[in-house]
Amino acid sequence: MKAPKSWQDLTIAIVGGDEREQEIARLAADTGASVSAFGFPFPDEGIGGVNLASSASDALQDAHIVLFPIPGMTMDGAIFATEKIVPDRALLAHLRPGARIILGTADDGLKSAARELGIALHEYESDHELMLLRAPAIVEAAIRVLIENTRITLHGNAICVVGFGNIGSVLVRTLVAMGAHVTVAARNPVQRAMAYTMGAESMHTNDLEARARDFPIIISSVPAPLINHQVIDSLTQDTLLVDLSAPPGSIDFSYAERRGLRAIWARALGRRAPVTVGASQWFGIRKLITSALWGNDNES
Amino acid sequence: MKAPKSWQDLTIAIVGGDEREQEIARLAADTGASVSAFGFPFPDEGIGGVNLASSASDALQDAHIVLFPIPGMTMDGAIFATEKIVPDRALLAHLRPGARIILGTADDGLKSAARELGIALHEYESDHELMLLRAPAIVEAAIRVLIENTRITLHGNAICVVGFGNIGSVLVRTLVAMGAHVTVAARNPVQRAMAYTMGAESMHTNDLEARARDFPIIISSVPAPLINHQVIDSLTQDTLLVDLSAPPGSIDFSYAERRGLRAIWARALGRRAPVTVGASQWFGIRKLITSALWGNDNES
Amino acid sequence: MKAPKSWQDLTIAIVGGDEREQEIARLAADTGASVSAFGFPFPDEGIGGVNLASSASDALQDAHIVLFPIPGMTMDGAIFATEKIVPDRALLAHLRPGARIILGTADDGLKSAARELGIALHEYESDHELMLLRAPAIVEAAIRVLIENTRITLHGNAICVVGFGNIGSVLVRTLVAMGAHVTVAARNPVQRAMAYTMGAESMHTNDLEARARDFPIIISSVPAPLINHQVIDSLTQDTLLVDLSAPPGSIDFSYAERRGLRAIWARALGRRAPVTVGASQWFGIRKLITSALWGNDNES
Amino acid sequence: MKAPKSWQDLTIAIVGGDEREQEIARLAADTGASVSAFGFPFPDEGIGGVNLASSASDALQDAHIVLFPIPGMTMDGAIFATEKIVPDRALLAHLRPGARIILGTADDGLKSAARELGIALHEYESDHELMLLRAPAIVEAAIRVLIENTRITLHGNAICVVGFGNIGSVLVRTLVAMGAHVTVAARNPVQRAMAYTMGAESMHTNDLEARARDFPIIISSVPAPLINHQVIDSLTQDTLLVDLSAPPGSIDFSYAERRGLRAIWARALGRRAPVTVGASQWFGIRKLITSALWGNDNES
């Protein structure tokens, strides 16, 4: 591929996704690049400067860069899209030689197809910066789930937050600011010390079984089975359990149901605030493109 | 009526209402009083110490105190209840002579029926303390409406809050704590100065027309037509309008609809967090009973 | 006096005061008015557009408006100034006929001198808006006093704030935000409900004696003798007492000293942040001038 | 050394330090251990259960554990203490064979003396958890420095915080909560994203020169010369510069002085809130002792 010298020389395909891709496409077109789109909900009024393609292969034709959605790959190798799109060798062959794919996470099928065609893959699912930029949106979605499902206010009540990663820490800061009495359960003493600086109490995860019943609301962001039989057995009927984590999740849902407890698996929170989150994803994608094509990763 | 000397001597009827009355009934029974209930959603498992009556008149029979619900009276004189209950002279005659009615607001029919029977009425709808105790619940319900209806985060975005009364001021404090950039529109310079101390910007309500378009989210708690044709004409299509006020409301909804703007009348927010709010209402009702019967209004 | 039609026609004298008057003078000159100054600390490099007069009478000569400082009048009738200045009839006679005096509070001597000369007095000491605009500065000064005098952090420790007026309420909000566990002592149940909405606990002032010993830090803004013998007797030696109130103050200092307790009367907090506070005072003074001269009190 | 089986069998020496060691000694004695102390400010009324030794060697005699202060070692090999104490081989020989030294950081002299005597050294200066537990105290000390040295409020004004480590991040959270408009300067994009989640703006450190003049207050916690000639040249005379970092510091103080700017090196902030900080240090020290002697590092 003769390297494009500027955004104006660049052809970008955006294939699959949800409402966030609308904002990503709009911002991509704002750079001056040629942008074609397919496979995500496209507004009736169109998106300025973005060409709606008639198929995935049409969208990919001669593109330098293709963006696949952040939710990554489903079981059958298809990407998350408004119709079934499998990014196999036949489809990727429409890309320009030396093209690049930017996406959340790739599965093995996509990886081998790309390798055979000499197409570079850039995964950003574990990009710490992007996760933090999305965190306020996800936390607001979680706050909504809590408000929808409680008979008490968050203000003035005791909430246990299990886990203190990117989402957990922003959730704790927000709940404390809303007046909740927050206790963090975390294995890592440094995370517990951080929780302390934010005005939360903390405990070792091992103490969940002994202490969980003090909390009418327990919300976990740890993808490990911490809310297990023992913890669930310790709870009263009034407890609300919310799981923010990816499969296999944190809560034993079937056991919670048998015990008559309300347990909610809050999924797809990443779709909250698609304009804000689409913009932050584009911020990260733009840095990846700039760095890959023009060797300049100055993030300022 | 021979005055009851203590809670144990007291018979309380709770008639009409919603989930909040469950908590009020439970707390009323905790005092040792005899409590009978009718006309609000009653849990299958019952409420400890509370007798579910077979009719409104049955519930009122020989009661010293009757509680009607806070939403007050509907148009036809009925109270808010799971079935039609009109508190007319025939119904109130079941009460013990010298009984007292405690409720949000009474209409003329109830007032004259009570007067004829020598029954005292205590209205608490405009009780400033109770309104503040309910404020966090109402504000969380409003936060939920905002999160449900926005494509951007509250965090980091500009929100205009019109009005700075009990609800408005708690809403502002909470939105600021969640990271929103809040501007208060208020006529009263003292309220604007209060907003300043909370980290919000402020403007005179007269400036709404000129400045409203800077805000993707506008939320009003003023029961006056401030979001009128002129203000609506100044807005972009992306603006979300939310009205928290009682009828006649703050927004010209039909005009907003004609202009293609999203406008939401967020009603019944008072039902958010019925356990917390029921408890705060009981806190106020208990003070009223204590003061009326035993002349002791020590609120501690 | 032929009424000045605009700021350019106006002569303003600023006499007495502290560092705040530097900012007030600077902002007054920015309007285009002629400004002369005397009796407050004047910077060596001068203040743009402000004439440093050689005496108080020189500064007042032919002025339409004179500003005296907010600290008000001392015992002997002198204003707060770098030298003794008594605003008696002889001094005020230098003003233009029909002039106006704007100040915090006037004493009887000044009132009668002004009345005899037909000079209007505008007092703003009790202006609720101005008090709130000054509140963040005073609260930061109070925070400094607390930090200087404690062996524990404010973060994570129990602080009792006695009083919930303009200063008390902003102090509570700030301490809660800094991670303190705040309990408000107030007689008024509405103020206690406001404290609850801010994430503080509360109690009736009558409970101070019983509960004060739970707080290593007690800070009062109520100008009434609430921290009396009984309360002081209930405390441990480690308690820090801070009084923010005006004379006669809230704490029995001599008794606290006899009991070996540390008690601090935090005075002159109003001088904290003179640039910010001078600007907010000028904001209020400007509204007064505009309203008095041109009948226009649009505060926007 | 015959290993002590419990706290009651243990002899602990606390030598050198400041007011924090008073609290550490008190808490150490609370475990039931024998505690002797020397070389830090000892209160006249004594510390319950702590023996004030007559010399450093007396304090160390037969101790299993010795605590030296967190400020670590001065140039000449002496520890920070009320008199000169050099922990050389002669002094350490008083310890029980197989003893352990717990301290902030050791210099080469102490390390070799300990090695020759078979004494284990545990350094905790870089313990991330302890740094965070101290952070609120240090941040409050920094807040005090800012309040003491500004003519504007922190509330409502623009503050640039350079660096976003343990102290920087807690400082940012606190300043935002106090109503300041905070911008973080950091090289690391993940730290800038964290600042965003806390409601702060951010910039790359490289942009300091271009943007520093927008901030009346700049405070740095980075021990690298970031506030250099170029940055200082860009500032107005009104800027306040505060350096929280360890030598060599962040600000070019001599150049700032030549330019007439106010620049403050805020040192010894770790002594703020000695009771709180002493307790958190003891929390860490206790874990070290438990783990070293009894192989149990359960931190709960």
Side-chain angles (χ1 to χ4, degrees), chain D residues 115-276:
Chain D
R115 196 166 41 237
E116 290 169 28
L117 292 163
I119 290 172
L121 274 174
H122 301 267
E123 297 173 90
Y124 61 84
E125 179 58 38
S126 59
D127 183 298
H128 198 43
E129 180 189 12
L130 280 185
M131 276 193 275
L132 281 163
L133 294 176
R134 283 200 302 268
I138 292 172
V139 163
E140 292 182 6
I143 296 285
R144 171 188 169 179
V145 169
L146 294 179
I147 295 176
E148 279 173 352
N149 289 285
T150 40
R151 293 166 53 83
I152 56 176
T153 50
L154 308 182
H155 175 91
N157 281 299
I159 301 179
C160 179
V161 176
V162 183
F164 198 78
N166 291 318
I167 300 305
S169 65
V170 176
L171 178 62
V172 167
R173 204 196 64 80
T174 307
L175 288 172
V176 168
M178 293 178 79
H181 302 310
V182 179
T183 298
V184 170
R187 203 168 293 284
N188 182 337
V190 174
Q191 292 182 331
R192 295 201 301 270
M194 280 181 187
Y196 161 77
T197 69
M198 289 185 184
E201 307 285 322
S202 69
M203 63 164 128
H204 194 285
T205 313
N206 291 343
D207 297 332
L208 262 179
E209 185 181 339
R211 299 207 30 214
R213 66 175 296 119
D214 299 339
F215 302 97
I217 303 170
I218 300 175
I219 178 164
S220 173
S221 59
V222 180
L226 296 176
I227 316 292
N228 53 24
H229 283 220
Q230 287 75 26
V231 172
I232 290 172
D233 279 337
S234 76
L235 301 174
T236 67
Q237 296 283 105
D238 290 335
T239 315
L240 173 70
L241 296 170
V242 176
D243 198 337
L244 301 179
S245 68
S250 196
I251 300 172
D252 186 329
F253 284 93
S254 62
Y255 190 69
E257 191 182 356
R258 266 161 55 200
R259 283 285 322 283
L261 288 174
R262 209 141 41 94
I264 293 169
W265 204 339
R267 307 301 304 278
L269 300 185
R271 298 176 75 167
R272 154 84 187 131
V275 170
T276 300

Side-chain angles (χ1 to χ4, degrees), chain A:
Chain A
M1 161 171 91
K2 180 151 157 300
K5 292 222 176 56
S6 73
W7 290 101
Q8 282 73 21
D9 301 336
L10 210 60
T11 299
I12 301 175
I14 302 178
V15 175
D18 54 36
E19 291 77 7
R20 288 172 281 186
E21 271 66 25
Q22 297 177 4
E23 182 71 8
I24 292 172
R26 196 181 67 70
L27 292 167
D30 277 357
T31 63
S34 302
V35 177
S36 62
F38 186 77
F40 61 84
F42 206 80
D44 291 344
E45 68 274 20
I47 301 171
V50 177
N51 172 45
L52 177 58
S54 58
S55 68
S57 54
D58 181 30
L60 264 60
Q61 194 62 45
D62 293 327
H64 299 93
I65 302 280
V66 58
L67 310 184
F68 288 140
I70 197 170
M73 319 303 294
T74 57
M75 296 293 185
D76 62 354
I79 59 172
F80 185 88
T82 51
E83 60 183 72
K84 183 165 179 175
I85 301 172
V86 178
D88 54 18
R89 190 172 164 158
L91 183 61
L92 299 186
H94 291 270
L95 288 168
R96 203 176 279 253
R100 295 165 185 280
I101 298 173
I102 298 177
L103 84 172
T105 320
D107 68 357
D108 289 342
L110 175 53
K111 281 180 185 164
S112 69
R115 196 167 38 236
E116 290 169 27
L117 293 162
I119 290 171
L121 275 172
H122 301 267
E123 299 172 90
Y124 60 85
E125 179 58 37
S126 57
D127 183 299
H128 198 43
E129 180 189 11
L130 280 185
M131 277 194 273
L132 281 164
L133 294 175
R134 284 200 302 268
I138 292 173
V139 163
E140 291 182 7
I143 296 285
R144 171 188 170 179
V145 170
L146 294 180
I147 295 175
E148 278 173 353
N149 290 283
T150 38
R151 295 166 51 82
I152 56 176
T153 50
L154 308 182
H155 174 93
N157 281 299
I159 301 178
C160 179
V161 177
V162 183
F164 198 78
N166 291 317
I167 300 305
S169 64
V170 177
L171 178 62
V172 166
R173 205 196 63 79
T174 308
L175 288 172
V176 167
M178 294 178 77
H181 302 309
V182 179
T183 299
V184 170
R187 203 168 293 284
N188 182 337
V190 173
Q191 292 182 330
R192 295 201 302 271
M194 280 180 187
Y196 162 76
T197 70
M198 290 185 184
E201 306 285 323
S202 69
M203 62 165 130
H204 194 285
T205 313
N206 291 343
D207 297 331
L208 262 179
E209 185 181 338
R211 299 212 25 216
R213 66 175 295 120
D214 299 337
F215 302 97
I217 303 170
I218 300 175
I219 178 164
S220 173
S221 59
V222 180
L226 295 177
I227 316 291
N228 54 24
H229 284 222
Q230 287 74 27
V231 171
I232 290 172
D233 280 337
S234 76
L235 300 175
T236 68
Q237 296 284 105
D238 291 334
T239 314
L240 173 70
L241 296 170
V242 176
D243 198 337
L244 301 179
S245 67
S250 196
I251 300 173
D252 186 329
F253 283 93
S254 61
Y255 191 70
E257 192 182 355
R258 265 163 55 202
R259 282 286 321 284
L261 287 175
R262 209 141 40 93
I264 293 169
W265 204 341
R267 306 301 304 277
L269 301 186
R271 298 177 75 166
R272 153 83 188 133
V275 172
T276 300
V277 173
S280 73
Q281 281 179 227
W282 172 250
F283 173 83
I285 291 164
R286 185 171 55 79
K287 285 209 292 187
L288 279 171
I289 294 174
T290 308
S291 168
L293 295 188
W294 303 307
N296 171 2
D297 66 347
N298 187 335
E299 29 338 51
S300 65

